[in-house]
Amino acid sequence: MLPRAASTSSTHDEVGLRKAGVAGRLSFLDRYLTFWIFAAMAVGIALGFLAPGATAALNRMSVGTTSIPIAAGLILMMYPPLAKVRYEELGKVFRNKRVLTLSLVQNWIIGPFLMFGLAVVFLRDEPEYMLGLILIGLARCIAMVIVWNDLAKGDTAYCAGLVAFNSIFQVLFFPVYAYFFATLLPTWLGLEGAIVDITIAEIAASVALYLGVPFAAGLLTRLLLVRARGREWYESLFLPRIAPITLIALLFTIVVMFSLKGETIVELPLDVLRIAIPLLIYFVVMFALSFFMSRRVGATYPQTATLSFTAASNNFELAIAVAIASFGIGSGAAFAAVIGPLVEVPVLIGLVSVALWARRRFFPSAAPAGSVMSTPRRSRREANHERPKGHDPLPLRRELGAQPDGRGARAHGLR
């Protein structure tokens, strides 16, 4: 019995050392990510309520329905993850018909109908709020999902491919979806419908700004710097240098978003709560359902995480722009659309933690990125023996999560 007890103690010690080692590799910002997110939300609400002059100044920094500070924050936030994408591998996303079909079903069939049902159940006595939620459900995410996917260690190439796919689908079919879900379907159910005034050109402009700009910047950065300095320098030195931009820009964007509605949140807490409840249910159910479906069809953890966050996230910029353009900035639809990202940000941050827990629970063979210790010792030894003489070890080291210069997750910033 004594040897078994000693073995158990040794195992617990080894697990503890592994956890401490992984945490030690995280940067100070990454280690307390959840705290920074909620602190930014609190600062934003306090700023909006206590300093209305600052909110007025932010509101003046707009072009049409586009807030320049929020647009700048979103573009900067998405640039590092998009610079990390290996664009030469994007073709495999569009060749994988199973992943594309699953994403299409999750995003353009399940998502809109689920949000419509929740809006009717919870807000049928508030038609404008109901329409605002319906618009959120129709606007599939093309921006912040890239950040959530990166934090959850999803597949960056698949994420970029699915985002591009959703963007094209959105440009072509959003007006049709808006007419069906906001005008036609409510009247069939005896509810008050509305005419949504949005053109394909306006949707294309939103996609070009929030996705096209950072996408082009990431692509050009990778092509030019890899060609000039080499892939090893780019991935081991340049990417870690720009990685903190994502978190800093995310915190800035949260402060701005919450400050713009800080006074309203304090003055109408019950209305905010009524809108937040169906949104909370939507995000959690879409994530859980998509995770289950993806795992059921045999997707890997990175693919499963990417599909789940793509399905659970929404393009709140487009939803807000459509609500304001169609119903006015003071409408209930616009108010509900603005509440969308205020709920989505903390909920999706929580779901990042859920995804990482699910990886350990349901994908035990998936090694945590940036931790060589998570790979079984036998597998690494066998891999070393099977490697042919003179073989470059860098691809193997990257596969196991180590960096060419020996650093782990700290070198990746948010990864």
Side-chain angles (χ1 to χ4, degrees), residues 26 68 87 138 145 175 191 276 289 295 318-319 338 350 352 397:
L26 296 176
I68 294 175
Y87 291 92
L138 301 182
V145 62
L191 302 171
L289 184 60
R295 182 169 179 263
L318 178 60
V338 169
V352 167
R397 291 171 63 81

Side-chain angles (χ1 to χ4, degrees), residues 259-274:
S259 66
L260 290 174
K261 285 297 176 180
E263 188 174 357
T264 305
I265 292 172
V266 174
E267 291 179 350
L268 299 173
L270 294 181
D271 288 48
V272 172
L273 183 62
R274 288 198 62 188

Side-chain angles (χ1 to χ4, degrees), residues 13-275:
D13 290 344
E14 184 178 352
V15 171
L17 287 172
R18 289 181 181 181
K19 291 181 178 179
V22 173
R25 288 183 177 90
L26 296 176
S27 69
F28 177 72
L29 288 176
D30 294 343
R31 201 176 308 160
Y32 302 104
L33 176 63
T34 304
F35 170 78
W36 302 128
I37 294 291
F38 283 97
M41 292 165 54
V43 170
I45 293 174
L47 185 64
F49 183 71
L50 301 175
T55 303
L58 288 173
N59 277 321
R60 287 194 295 269
M61 299 172 65
S62 301
V63 177
T65 60
T66 301
S67 168
I68 294 175
I70 290 179
L74 288 171
I75 291 170
L76 287 172
M77 180 174 63
M78 292 187 295
Y79 168 66
L82 286 172
K84 190 186 300 180
V85 173
R86 294 176 178 176
Y87 291 92
E88 64 275 12
E89 300 176 5
L90 275 182
K92 70 178 182 182
V93 180
F94 297 100
R95 287 194 298 268
N96 193 330
K97 301 297 190 297
R98 180 185 62 180
V99 170
L100 281 179
T101 302
L102 190 57
S103 179
L104 182 67
V105 170
Q106 292 170 347
N107 280 279
W108 296 101
I109 298 178
I110 298 176
F113 275 102
L114 176 61
M115 185 67 91
F116 180 86
L118 291 170
V120 170
V121 169
F122 285 90
L123 296 168
R124 63 186 304 151
D125 60 327
E126 293 284 353
E128 290 194 358
Y129 290 170
M130 182 184 75
L131 285 170
L133 253 67
I134 291 173
L135 291 177
I136 294 174
L138 301 182
R140 312 313 301 169
C141 194
I142 62 170
M144 294 186 76
V145 62
I146 295 170
V147 178
W148 310 137
N149 178 75
D150 195 52
L151 294 174
K153 309 298 186 292
D155 190 310
T156 54
Y158 269 82
C159 187
L162 293 179
V163 162
F165 179 71
N166 274 342
S167 300
I168 296 170
F169 205 92
Q170 201 159 242
V171 169
L172 296 177
F173 295 106
F174 187 89
V176 177
Y177 266 69
Y179 174 73
F180 178 76
F181 282 95
T183 304
L184 207 57
L185 194 54
T187 57
W188 288 353
L189 299 177
L191 302 171
E192 182 179 338
I195 302 299
V196 178
D197 184 18
I198 187 70
T199 66
I200 290 178
E202 290 171 319
I203 299 172
S206 174
V207 171
L209 175 63
Y210 294 111
L211 177 63
V213 172
F215 201 98
L219 174 61
L220 288 175
T221 299
R222 186 173 187 91
L223 290 178
L224 295 176
L225 291 184
V226 168
R227 182 178 301 174
R229 303 296 299 272
R231 182 166 169 174
E232 180 181 343
W233 175 88
Y234 182 82
E235 294 187 349
S236 63
L237 293 178
F238 178 76
L239 288 181
R241 296 269 180 87
I242 66 171
I245 295 175
T246 295
L247 180 54
I248 295 170
L250 173 62
L251 296 176
F252 168 78
T253 304
I254 291 172
V255 170
V256 173
M257 286 194 306
F258 276 78
S259 66
L260 290 174
K261 285 297 176 180
E263 188 174 357
T264 305
I265 292 172
V266 174
E267 291 179 350
L268 299 173
L270 294 181
D271 288 48
V272 172
L273 183 62
R274 288 198 62 188
I275 297 168

Side-chain angles (χ1 to χ4, degrees), residues 264-327:
T264 305
I265 292 172
V266 174
E267 291 179 350
L268 299 173
L270 294 181
D271 288 48
V272 172
L273 183 62
R274 288 198 62 188
I275 297 168
I277 290 174
L279 285 170
L280 173 63
I281 296 173
Y282 170 84
F283 293 132
V284 173
V285 170
M286 276 302 296
F287 178 85
L289 184 60
S290 300
F291 200 97
F292 171 79
M293 292 173 65
S294 303
R295 182 169 179 263
R296 192 63 183 265
V297 300
T300 64
Y301 169 77
Q303 293 171 349
T304 299
T306 297
L307 285 164
S308 301
F309 281 102
T310 302
S313 305
N314 291 86
N315 183 357
F316 62 82
E317 304 91 354
L318 178 60
I320 293 171
V322 172
I324 293 175
S326 300
F327 309 110

